Amino acid sequence: MHVSAKGLVFAIYYPVLAAIGVPANLAVIVILCRGSCGLSRCITYYLVSMAVTDLLVIITAVILNRIVGIYFPGSFLSITPVCSLRVSLNFAIVDCSVWITVAFTFDRFMAICCQTLKIKYCTEKTAAWIIGTVCTLSCLKNIFLYFVYEPLYIIDNIPWFCSIKPVFYTSPIWAAYDWILRILTPCLPFILILLLNALTVRHILAASKARRRLRAHSNEETQSDPEMEKRRNSIVLLFCISGSFILLYLLLLTNFLYVRIAKFSYFSGSNYNKANFILQEGGYMLQFLSSCVNPFIYGGTQRKFREELKNGVKYPLTLIVKLFKW
């Protein structure tokens, strides 16, 4: 079977993404659950939940959707009811991942900029409640996507594949629902993350100037400042996570605006020669890539996380060496 160069890119990209994303997110979950990275329980709750949702995105959207669709197009997962269920589940899990990122950004904003509310808000109980609420609302919001699709083919009375119903583009109700979906993910998260980060940066700059003046008056300017160092590490982690989210979701947002403003359709199949198909799939490729980025951000910004990862890699190797010596 002939495969175009563009199709080959997708066929290689998604398996590589899954091969990296699954073990990377599993490693994050194990390391963070051990509680040896020096992070508060509140932050750990958010980071673990982000890793879990990212892992689910890789499993459902990348493996069960993209990889199965490319290599096993005739499997039972392509039957229309199962296909529709997979799509709605994919969107729900992606929404969970996105809004937990927003919740983490807001939590860090409260911890850094609102010291009076920090004690009440930045707690394990609040984090667990927010994560549970986000996941529940994300599932409820995407239930209706199940009814957006119709069979692409009917063979021996069995409906196959998913095609978006034409009424989705002409009905004001479905158009409003699509706008709500896209505004809530990723438009509103974009705005909230940019706003919260801007307020956080402004607060940090003001606090840093005041702290430097205070230390200068007390003749401590040449000494290290543990508090500022701790705050700097927290900010680097926050900005790397939120910054990668904005960059990797930007193309997906562009595709939505292109579809609704230029009156084009979303693609349900594959047509590698269509510019809007390439735009749409490019957006999804970057979106799914965001589910693999956070583990590398943790490794690059958190020293204790790197140490735990090294210990985890060395442990099985040490056991193997001991077995051979024995």
Side-chain angles (χ1 to χ4, degrees), residues 28-36 41 44 48:
V28 168
I29 295 170
V30 172
I31 291 173
L32 292 178
C33 287
R34 286 169 54 87
S36 302
R41 296 290 296 174
T44 301
V48 169

Side-chain angles (χ1 to χ4, degrees), residues 157-174:
N157 293 324
I158 300 176
W160 288 95
F161 305 107
C162 289
S163 177
I164 298 176
K165 297 176 181 178
V167 71
F168 182 76
Y169 301 102
T170 58
S171 169
I173 295 177
W174 280 119

Side-chain angles (χ1 to χ4, degrees), residues 59-319:
I59 293 174
T60 58
V62 176
I63 297 176
L64 296 181
N65 191 17
R66 289 301 193 272
I67 294 178
V68 169
I70 292 172
Y71 291 97
F72 310 100
S75 69
F76 80 96
L77 293 176
S78 298
I79 298 175
T80 302
V82 180
C83 177
S84 300
L85 181 62
R86 284 193 295 117
V87 172
S88 57
L89 182 62
N90 291 345
F91 275 91
I93 294 173
V94 168
D95 278 6
C96 290
S97 178
V98 169
W99 279 99
I100 290 173
T101 302
V102 175
F104 171 72
T105 305
F106 184 75
D107 177 86
R108 292 301 85 203
F109 166 77
M110 294 291 287
I112 294 170
C113 303
C114 306
Q115 294 296 317
T116 56
L117 300 175
K118 174 183 176 180
I119 298 176
K120 293 184 178 180
Y121 182 83
C122 301
T123 64
E124 299 175 39
K125 184 177 180 180
T126 302
W129 183 85
I130 289 175
I131 292 167
T133 302
V134 164
C135 293
T136 301
L137 293 178
S138 296
C139 293
L140 291 176
K141 180 171 74 75
N142 290 283
I143 285 177
F144 301 101
L145 282 174
Y146 181 85
F147 306 100
V148 169
Y149 297 92
E150 63 183 4
L152 188 61
Y153 307 106
I154 297 179
I155 303 174
D156 296 331
N157 293 324
I158 300 176
W160 288 95
F161 305 107
C162 289
S163 177
I164 298 176
K165 297 176 181 178
V167 71
F168 182 76
Y169 301 102
T170 58
S171 169
I173 295 177
W174 280 119
Y177 178 67
D178 192 32
W179 273 103
I180 291 172
L181 286 180
R182 305 304 175 174
I183 287 173
L184 292 179
T185 306
C187 296
L188 187 56
F190 259 71
I191 297 171
L192 290 176
I193 288 176
L194 288 173
L195 177 62
L196 292 171
N197 283 346
L199 293 174
T200 303
V201 168
R202 189 180 69 173
H203 177 86
I204 290 171
L205 292 177
S208 298
K209 289 180 181 178
R211 193 171 182 86
R212 281 197 298 268
R213 285 196 300 267
L214 181 63
R215 288 174 62 82
H217 286 302
S218 60
N219 296 321
E220 295 180 355
E221 65 273 19
T222 59
Q223 299 178 11
S224 62
D225 189 346
E227 179 62 26
M228 291 303 298
E229 187 66 26
K230 181 180 179 181
R231 183 174 295 182
R232 189 180 299 110
N233 291 336
S234 179
I235 291 304
V236 169
L237 176 62
L238 169 64
F239 285 178
C240 285
I241 291 175
S242 55
S244 67
F245 166 80
I246 290 172
L247 290 175
L248 295 176
Y249 272 79
L250 186 59
L251 189 59
L252 196 67
L253 176 60
T254 303
N255 178 67
F256 162 69
L257 296 175
Y258 180 71
V259 167
R260 282 301 173 184
I261 294 175
K263 304 298 182 182
F264 281 96
S265 300
Y266 294 112
F267 268 91
S268 300
S270 299
N271 191 334
Y272 303 115
N273 296 319
K274 291 286 186 178
N276 46 335
F277 171 79
I278 299 300
L279 178 64
Q280 175 178 302
E281 279 303 310
Y284 285 130
M285 290 171 74
L286 292 180
Q287 179 193 47
F288 299 147
L289 178 61
S290 69
S291 297
C292 296
V293 169
N294 285 349
F296 297 96
I297 291 177
Y298 304 151
T301 60
Q302 301 296 307
R303 178 181 57 81
K304 290 185 178 180
F305 181 88
R306 290 195 298 272
E307 292 174 356
E308 287 292 313
L309 183 60
K310 290 178 182 177
N311 293 335
V313 173
K314 289 179 181 178
Y315 182 72
L317 296 177
T318 303
L319 289 179

